[in-house]
């Protein structure tokens, strides 16, 4: 399965770069009220291609993908797929966007892939076997003092400022704006932690969470509990180590959660 996911991610990345050389048509996303949320034909064509590649080998695989209608409840065995995580970055010619696929087995991420086409960076993870960058096994190494640590977040009209503002008194806070890049930043030591509240979906989280865990980092829900993988809305905390995670959780635990 991991080889199939890697093949799909690379193919989608090549397609997206080719399409971006041309004029990208955009489509408004109905029901989205939180900021500049839209899709391009790159999102839809990447999704079609990725699903085609996975289904060629696994014809019965359930695929939960961003640009389609999905059931509210996530089955325990499926593949979640974001054909372009960071559509705004993609559309505006930035490098901080990626393709991500993650296969869940028995309700947990089992195989995950994130691919950054501009950098040709492939991050893969298999539960119990490790995290790999460009095919080489990778472990997070963090040795910076807390008072010089950068924390990654997403900033927009959905931002939970009662969490961000106290953290900003202790840490330098960086707006990432792309969930898979948030995971990459923790893996590579650009930030000591990253958290996403009030906006993201399961396909934004799954592969990055698996990669950070398999690389020796920490992933959990904002209240410190283990993450659940049975619904589309997703909020999570990533950290290079437990000490950093506890500093973030001190504030995210005060969050009352998404409004229903």
């Amino acid at each position: 399965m991991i080889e199939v996911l890697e093949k799909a991610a690379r193919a989608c990345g090549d397609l997206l770069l080719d399409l971006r050389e041309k004029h990208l048509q955009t489509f408004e996303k109905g029901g989205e009220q939180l900021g500049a949320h839209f899709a391009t034909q790159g999102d839809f064509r990447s999704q079609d291609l990725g699903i085609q590649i996975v289904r060629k080998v696994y014809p019965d695989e359930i695929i939960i993908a961003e640009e389609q209608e999905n059931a509210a409840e996530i089955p325990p065995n499926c593949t979640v797929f974001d054909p372009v995580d960071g559509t705004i970055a993609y559309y505006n010619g930035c490098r901080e966007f990626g393709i991500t696929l993650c296969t869940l087995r028995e309700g947990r991420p089992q195989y995950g892939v994130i691919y950054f086409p501009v950098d040709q960076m492939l991050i893969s993870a298999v539960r119990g076997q490790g995290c790999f960058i460009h095919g080489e096994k990778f472990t997070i190494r963090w040795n910076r003092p807390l008072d010089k640590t950068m924390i990654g977040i997403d900033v927009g009209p959905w931002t939970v400022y009662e969490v961000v503002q106290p953290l900003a008194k202790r840490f330098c806070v960086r707006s990432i704006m792309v969930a898979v890049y948030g995971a990459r930043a923790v893996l590579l030591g650009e930030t000591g932690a990253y958290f996403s509240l009030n906006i993201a979906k399961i396909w934004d989280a799954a592969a990055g969470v698996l990669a950070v865990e398999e690389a020796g980092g920490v992933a959990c829900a904002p209240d410190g509990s283990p993450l659940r993988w049975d619904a589309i809305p997703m909020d999570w905390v990533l950290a290079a180590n437990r000490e950093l995670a506890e500093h973030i959780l001190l504030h995210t635990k005060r969050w009352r959660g998404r409004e229903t």
Side-chain angles (χ1 to χ4, degrees), residues 25-94:
Q25 185 180 0
T26 63
F27 307 90
E28 298 302 319
K29 299 182 76 167
E32 293 278 7
Q33 301 296 321
L34 301 176
H37 279 231
F38 59 89
T40 71
Q41 82 264 37
D43 295 70
F44 293 104
R45 289 186 57 184
S46 174
Q47 180 168 291
D48 290 344
L49 178 60
I51 291 174
Q52 176 185 342
I53 291 171
V54 172
R55 288 256 170 83
K56 185 175 181 179
V57 182
Y58 298 98
D60 298 325
E61 182 72 13
I62 298 170
I63 299 177
I64 309 296
E66 180 171 16
E67 308 302 340
Q68 67 179 28
E69 292 294 327
N70 299 291
E73 187 172 332
I74 302 297
N77 299 304
C78 66
T79 294
V80 295
F81 177 27
D82 192 342
V84 185
D85 189 24
T87 295
I88 296 173
Y90 170 61
Y91 178 75
N92 283 280
C94 303

Side-chain angles (χ1 to χ4, degrees), residues 51-163:
I51 291 174
Q52 176 185 342
I53 291 171
V54 172
R55 288 256 170 83
K56 185 175 181 179
V57 182
Y58 298 98
D60 298 325
E61 182 72 13
I62 298 170
I63 299 177
I64 309 296
E66 180 171 16
E67 308 302 340
Q68 67 179 28
E69 292 294 327
N70 299 291
E73 187 172 332
I74 302 297
N77 299 304
C78 66
T79 294
V80 295
F81 177 27
D82 192 342
V84 185
D85 189 24
T87 295
I88 296 173
Y90 170 61
Y91 178 75
N92 283 280
C94 303
R95 56 190 283 273
E96 297 92 346
F97 70 93
I99 302 94
T100 181
L101 303 98
C102 188
T103 298
L104 277 62
R105 292 294 182 257
E106 298 181 355
R108 299 177 71 198
Q110 186 73 25
Y111 309 97
V113 170
I114 304 170
Y115 182 58
F116 298 94
V118 176
D119 301 327
Q120 297 186 338
M121 174 180 282
L122 181 69
I123 300 172
S124 305
V126 179
R127 185 166 296 281
Q129 297 184 28
C131 173
F132 302 83
I133 299 182
H134 299 306
E136 299 292 327
K137 195 164 186 179
F138 185 86
T139 301
I140 295 173
R141 295 177 176 84
W142 182 266
N143 57 8
R144 297 177 189 169
L146 284 175
D147 64 352
K148 297 177 176 60
T149 293
M150 185 175 290
I151 303 298
I153 63 169
D154 293 332
V155 173
W158 59 85
T159 301
V160 184
Y161 285 102
E162 61 266 32
V163 173

